[in-house]
Amino acid sequence: MTVTSEQRFGEFVVVRRHEGQDHVAELVLDRPKAMNAVSTDMARSIAAACEALGADRDVRATVLTSSHERAFCVGADLKERNSFSDADLVRQRPTARAAYTGVLELPMPVIAAVHGFALGGGFELALACDVIVADATAVVGLPEVSVGVIPGGGGTQLLPRRVGAARAAELVFSARRVEAAEARELGLVDELVEAGRDREEALALGARIAANSPVGLRAAKKALRLGQGLDLRAGLEVEDAAWRSVAFSGDRAEGVAAFNEKRRPDWPGE
């Protein structure tokens, strides 16, 4: 797949665009010497990349990938943390949170391509995505209680929304690692593919998603996210507000016209 453009955010994060996938962005975790352990600098770069992607109306889908052959991301940089004073840890906390919320709050659909280890904060980055595509080598888990902390990148809130409160409690309390087949069975990942094909399959899914209305995609994501945890009546009000935000858009007019004229839509994106 030919890279048509590349923008680096600090030393450890890259955003790429590919030939034939004009509306798909690849957000690459690129700290291979540390298996993508999230240092302060890397967290800052993830947040900056997400801010840029969120402002780019041309991006209809984002795929979160890793440049390391055997790991998606092994979580927080514990070597760096070992040198922190309590005051350092307090100062670093907003920077760390901004990385995870940056991925979580991206306005377009986001797909994680996971292979190898996705542990702790690494799995939380994947959980912040809308869909997780994992290959057969994937090993996921939230082992934070084994080192005296808790999942602090959204794991205690995102995991139960995927698998239910009791299953999430078992996984968090036991700190156990879950291999690919069981992870798919439990709903920790959404699609399981052959070893080495996670990135390819995730980018292909991103391309299929990006063929749809950018206005519709962003509104649908907003409705899905804001409606979680609400009772049905409140959730339907969230859905109605999202519908109203697209019902009179140029994309809606183009979509209906294209359907009736039996052609592919040319989305105005507004």
Side-chain angles (χ1 to χ4, degrees):
M1 191 175 296
T2 303
V3 176
T4 57
S5 69
E6 181 173 294
Q7 182 178 5
R8 186 165 285 276
F9 293 83
E11 186 179 355
F12 304 126
V13 176
V14 185
V15 173
R16 293 182 178 136
R17 305 289 283 272
H18 302 280
E19 185 177 358
Q21 294 192 336
D22 296 338
H23 301 291
V24 179
E26 182 182 8
L27 175 57
V28 187
L29 304 176
D30 188 32
R31 195 186 178 204
K33 291 182 180 179
M35 300 181 83
N36 289 330
V38 182
S39 63
T40 302
D41 285 345
M42 186 172 178
R44 192 175 290 116
S45 295
I46 292 170
C50 289
E51 183 177 4
L53 285 168
D56 189 343
R57 299 293 298 187
D58 190 52
V59 177
R60 301 178 189 172
T62 295
V63 180
L64 180 62
T65 70
S66 161
S67 65
H68 194 282
E69 292 182 356
R70 295 185 293 107
F72 175 73
C73 173
V74 294
D77 186 341
L78 296 185
K79 290 183 179 179
E80 179 188 63
R81 293 278 181 90
N82 192 48
S83 70
F84 280 5
S85 67
D86 289 351
D88 291 334
L89 191 59
V90 170
R91 281 191 294 269
Q92 195 246 13
R93 177 61 175 163
T95 301
R97 286 195 70 187
Y100 299 104
T101 57
V103 176
L104 184 64
E105 294 177 359
L106 281 169
M108 76 292 291
V110 184
I111 305 152
V114 174
H115 59 266
F117 297 113
L119 301 172
F123 188 40
E124 287 174 304
L125 286 171
L127 289 172
C129 300
D130 300 292
V131 180
I132 301 174
V133 176
D135 83 354
T137 70
V139 179
V140 306
L142 297 176
E144 285 88 347
V145 297
S146 70
V147 293
V149 291
I150 70 166
T156 66
Q157 305 305 304
L158 294 170
L159 187 59
R161 284 168 166 78
R162 271 187 163 266
V163 300
R167 177 64 67 191
E170 182 266 319
L171 292 166
V172 170
F173 297 160
S174 69
R176 71 184 179 95
R177 300 179 179 191
V178 182
E179 295 187 1
E182 185 185 4
R184 175 65 184 88
E185 181 181 342
L186 297 179
L188 300 175
V189 304
D190 302 301
E191 295 188 22
L192 186 59
V193 300
E194 294 178 2
R197 290 186 57 84
D198 55 296
R199 177 176 173 271
E200 180 182 350
E201 295 292 343
L203 285 168
L205 176 57
R208 292 195 296 274
I209 290 171
N212 297 308
S213 158
V215 171
L217 288 170
R218 291 183 179 224
K221 176 165 179 173
K222 188 174 183 179
L224 286 164
R225 287 290 178 89
L226 292 180
Q228 287 182 0
L230 301 179
D231 63 48
L232 179 58
R233 186 180 296 276
L236 290 174
E237 291 303 316
V238 167
E239 181 182 83
D240 187 64
W243 178 87
R244 291 176 185 277
S245 74
V246 301
F248 310 105
S249 68
D251 273 16
R252 197 274 317 168
E254 169 62 11
V256 172
F259 176 83
N260 284 287
E261 294 166 15
K262 296 181 173 57
R263 60 174 175 81
R264 296 182 66 177
D266 182 14
W267 304 114
E270 59 185 20

